[in-house]
Coordinates of all heavy atoms in Angstrom, one line a residue:
W304 N 5.5 128.5 -140.2 CA 6.1 127.7 -139.1 C 6.7 126.5 -139.6 O 6.4 126.0 -140.7 CB 4.9 127.3 -138.2 CG 4.3 128.4 -137.4 CD1 3.4 129.3 -137.9 CD2 4.6 128.8 -136.1 NE1 3.1 130.2 -136.9 CE2 3.8 129.9 -135.7 CE3 5.5 128.3 -135.1 CZ2 3.8 130.6 -134.5 CZ3 5.5 129.0 -133.8 CH2 4.7 130.0 -133.6
P305 N 7.7 125.9 -138.9 CA 8.3 124.6 -139.4 C 7.3 123.5 -139.6 O 7.5 122.7 -140.5 CB 9.3 124.3 -138.3 CG 9.7 125.7 -137.7 CD 8.4 126.5 -137.7
E306 N 6.2 123.5 -138.8 CA 5.2 122.5 -138.9 C 4.5 122.7 -140.2 O 3.8 121.7 -140.6 CB 4.2 122.6 -137.7 CG 4.8 122.2 -136.4 CD 5.6 123.3 -135.7 OE1 5.7 124.4 -136.2 OE2 6.1 123.0 -134.6
Q307 N 4.5 123.8 -140.9 CA 3.8 124.0 -142.1 C 4.8 123.9 -143.4 O 4.4 124.4 -144.4 CB 3.2 125.4 -142.1 CG 2.1 125.6 -141.1 CD 1.7 127.1 -140.9 OE1 2.5 128.0 -141.0 NE2 0.4 127.3 -140.8
A308 N 5.9 123.3 -143.1 CA 6.9 123.2 -144.2 C 6.4 122.4 -145.4 O 6.9 122.6 -146.5 CB 8.2 122.6 -143.7
V309 N 5.4 121.6 -145.2 CA 4.8 120.9 -146.4 C 4.2 121.8 -147.4 O 4.1 121.4 -148.6 CB 3.8 119.9 -145.9 CG1 2.5 120.6 -145.3 CG2 3.4 118.8 -146.9
Y310 N 3.8 123.0 -147.0 CA 3.3 124.0 -147.9 C 4.3 124.8 -148.7 O 4.0 125.6 -149.6 CB 2.4 125.0 -147.2 CG 1.2 124.3 -146.5 CD1 0.7 124.8 -145.3 CD2 0.5 123.2 -147.0 CE1 -0.4 124.2 -144.6 CE2 -0.6 122.6 -146.4 CZ -1.0 123.1 -145.2 OH -2.0 122.6 -144.5
L311 N 5.6 124.6 -148.3 CA 6.6 125.5 -148.9 C 6.7 125.4 -150.4 O 6.9 126.5 -151.0 CB 8.0 125.2 -148.2 CG 9.0 126.4 -148.1 CD1 8.4 127.6 -147.4 CD2 10.2 125.9 -147.4
P312 N 6.7 124.3 -151.0 CA 6.8 124.3 -152.5 C 5.7 125.0 -153.2 O 5.9 125.8 -154.1 CB 6.7 122.7 -152.8 CG 7.2 122.0 -151.6 CD 6.8 122.9 -150.4
E313 N 4.5 124.9 -152.7 CA 3.4 125.6 -153.3 C 3.5 127.1 -153.1 O 3.2 127.9 -153.9 CB 2.0 125.1 -152.7 CG 0.8 125.8 -153.3 CD -0.5 125.3 -152.6 OE1 -0.4 124.5 -151.6 OE2 -1.6 125.7 -153.0
L314 N 3.9 127.5 -151.8 CA 4.1 128.9 -151.5 C 5.2 129.5 -152.4 O 5.2 130.7 -152.8 CB 4.3 129.1 -150.0 CG 3.2 128.7 -149.1 CD1 3.6 128.8 -147.6 CD2 1.9 129.5 -149.4
T315 N 6.3 128.8 -152.5 CA 7.4 129.2 -153.3 C 7.0 129.5 -154.8 O 7.4 130.5 -155.4 CB 8.6 128.2 -153.3 OG1 9.0 128.0 -151.9 CG2 9.7 128.7 -154.1
A316 N 6.2 128.6 -155.3 CA 5.7 128.7 -156.7 C 4.8 130.0 -156.8 O 5.0 130.8 -157.7 CB 4.9 127.5 -157.1

Side-chain angles (χ1 to χ4, degrees):
W304 292 81
E306 290 84 1
Q307 296 171 319
V309 69
Y310 300 143
L311 207 57
E313 181 183 5
L314 297 177
T315 301

